[in-house]
Amino acid sequence: MAEMREPIETGCPDPWQYMHPVMRKNFGQWKYHEHPRPGVLRHVAFSGDEIWTVKAGTQRILDVFSLRKLCDIGDQFADGHVHFTIRSSIEFLVTDQAKVEPLIQALEEAGFIVGGTQNSVTMISHTQGWLHCDIPGTDASGVVKAMMDELIDEFRNTNMPNRVHITTSCCQINCGGQGDIAINVQHTKPPKINHDLVANVCERPSVVARCPVAAIRPAMVNGKPSLEVDERKCICCGACYPPCPPMQINDAEHTKLAIWVGGNHSNARGKPTFQKLVAAGIPNNPPRWPEATAIVKRILKAYKEGARDWERINEWIERIGWPRFFEEVELPFTKYHIDTWRGARNSFNASTYIRF
């Protein structure tokens, strides 16, 4: 009897044990793949084996009943072989073509939308939000739900010039990601300090060191050890809030949303591109966030109508120029769009492509 493998407590789990047998058999030996319809991929191996992948969007923060429903569908049509993508879509792996259409029908009847492949708007990647995170300025999962309700047809179909990756985040400093369009929290006021609690809750040297612009320093307030913020230096990033909750920066009035576009990781064909701010001070307006959703829809409409085939959003903007972009999406360009922060030089030096 084979001995059980010792558990690995760090890093990603070994994916081999969860792979479909056909994928294990033909690992690295795929001849080609096809895209028969949105949400479905067909891979053909040199051995002649075939496997179909059916992708459906989920709400990411899944309740146990929805998760069981998806697993039941996977057991019925995909021999129990499913996996989740980084953007919270679920993929069912099927070797029998006759099961593909019944699987799609079962997913649609259960309320899950099949799509998100090729030239579509993918599921929006997002962070934990109010359910799990201890420092959120908004509920990223709520933003995603409201926004994808409006973009459902762009997920279900493949009529964009190229794939569109959208990300959201709950704060300015921890989670989030690079995307063609990013909806991020924007704090507009320095933190409010509860001086009565700082000495008991916060490790002050760590908080001082945490500030990226050296705007925090120790202070004595009302005879108690506390902290103070140089508001001339503060960039309202919120980095001080996680290690020191009495430095509250989340605010119903002054915590806004901002939209950035054009971010793209490097690959074999191109260098990375940095996201650039296009809209700031957008109301953080739950539960539907209509203002942010309207701007994203305008950007996607202009991109869909004006980009050439296979152009990503950053490539489309570079071709037409930023002044034309702001005209096309009907957004104002203000002095706040110009990056004048003197520390940007160090950020750019983190790239392997750009050096100063």
Side-chain angles (χ1 to χ4, degrees), residues 79-329:
D79 300 322
H81 291 283
V82 303
H83 71 260
F84 284 89
T85 70
I86 196 172
R87 292 181 172 270
S88 310
S89 296
I90 186 171
E91 294 183 343
F92 297 84
L93 305 170
V94 183
T95 53
D96 184 358
Q97 184 178 4
K99 292 184 177 180
V100 173
E101 285 301 325
L103 169 59
I104 294 172
Q105 184 177 354
L107 287 167
E108 296 278 1
E109 288 177 353
F112 299 98
I113 309 302
V114 174
T117 54
Q118 211 180 53
N119 295 6
S120 65
V121 173
T122 65
M123 267 297 294
I124 303 175
S125 66
H126 66 94
T127 52
Q128 302 297 333
W130 290 330
L131 181 66
H132 184 270
C133 184
D134 60 344
I135 60 166
T138 190
D139 183 34
S141 54
V143 176
V144 170
K145 173 68 173 76
M147 204 164 284
M148 287 306 291
D149 282 350
E150 300 283 333
L151 301 178
I152 185 172
D153 290 332
E154 305 299 350
F155 177 82
R156 181 184 274 142
N157 300 303
T158 55
N159 50 19
M160 303 299 290
N162 205 332
R163 283 178 76 72
V164 179
H165 291 150
I166 305 179
T167 68
T168 64
S169 71
C170 304
C171 67
Q172 290 190 175
I173 56 166
N174 287 343
C175 305
Q178 185 99 320
D180 296 295
I181 302 174
I183 303 98
N184 297 326
V185 164
Q186 177 192 29
H187 299 299
T188 60
K189 294 288 184 181
K192 298 177 182 178
I193 304 175
N194 186 335
H195 297 288
D196 293 332
L197 297 178
V198 170
N200 294 331
V201 176
C202 310
E203 187 177 328
R204 294 191 301 156
S206 297
V207 182
V208 171
R210 177 100 173 184
C211 182
V213 293
I216 301 172
R217 53 181 174 260
M220 294 293 292
V221 179
N222 299 326
K224 296 181 180 180
S226 188
L227 296 162
E228 63 182 6
V229 176
D230 185 343
E231 296 190 0
R232 296 171 301 173
K233 289 184 177 180
C234 181
I235 57 174
C236 306
C237 68
C240 53
Y241 178 47
C244 188
M247 298 186 71
Q248 176 64 253
I249 195 167
N250 293 331
D251 183 271
E253 179 182 357
H254 301 298
T255 295
K256 308 287 188 180
L257 295 181
I259 293 177
W260 303 65
V261 302
N264 200 2
H265 293 296
S266 61
N267 54 38
R269 296 175 301 280
K271 299 178 180 180
T273 57
F274 294 97
Q275 298 176 145
K276 294 181 175 63
L277 178 72
V278 297
I282 304 166
N284 183 13
N285 190 8
R288 301 301 297 178
W289 291 272
E291 298 86 357
T293 300
I295 294 174
V296 169
K297 289 176 69 175
R298 289 214 303 269
I299 294 171
L300 289 174
K301 180 176 183 294
Y303 168 63
K304 185 176 178 179
E305 294 176 351
R308 296 171 180 169
D309 289 346
W310 306 112
E311 274 187 330
R312 294 290 288 268
I313 285 184
N314 64 298
E315 296 167 335
W316 165 59
I317 296 172
E318 289 300 320
R319 178 173 60 83
I320 67 173
W322 283 99
R324 175 75 180 279
F325 168 79
F326 278 93
E327 292 176 2
E328 293 289 330
V329 298

Side-chain angles (χ1 to χ4, degrees), residues 59-92:
Q59 63 268 42
R60 184 180 188 273
I61 299 178
L62 285 165
D63 60 277
V64 67
F65 303 104
S66 298
L67 191 56
R68 285 173 177 165
K69 185 181 295 184
L70 287 168
C71 290
D72 288 342
I73 293 173
D75 286 336
Q76 182 179 357
F77 297 101
D79 300 322
H81 291 283
V82 303
H83 71 260
F84 284 89
T85 70
I86 196 172
R87 292 181 172 270
S88 310
S89 296
I90 186 171
E91 294 183 343
F92 297 84

